[in-house]
Amino acid sequence: MTYTCSDYRLEMILLGIRRRLHEEELLEDEKERLLKEIRKIEAEMEM
């Protein structure tokens, strides 16, 4: 399996979203949006 710039980019986006989810006080709808985005990226990365 080749590790590409796109893979790295998705990993950094995922890391940023996870960090934001844990560090900030967010409204429930914002948390749900972030969790949905995490699931989408993980599926794209086949995690």
Side-chain angles (χ1 to χ4, degrees):
M1 185 171 137
T2 304
Y3 186 74
T4 66
C5 292
S6 295
D7 295 330
Y8 178 78
R9 180 179 177 273
L10 284 175
E11 283 183 9
M12 294 302 106
I13 291 170
L14 187 59
L15 180 63
I17 292 171
R18 285 183 175 160
R19 184 175 294 145
R20 183 170 177 214
L21 186 63
H22 292 356
E23 290 180 353
E24 296 181 22
E25 287 188 29
L26 301 171
L27 299 173
E28 283 302 313
D29 61 329
E30 182 68 9
K31 283 182 184 179
E32 286 300 317
R33 188 185 68 75
L34 291 174
L35 289 171
K36 184 177 180 181
E37 187 68 22
I38 287 171
R39 287 189 295 273
K40 176 183 163 194
I41 293 171
E42 288 177 342
E44 190 174 331
M45 295 175 69
E46 299 177 357
M47 293 179 80

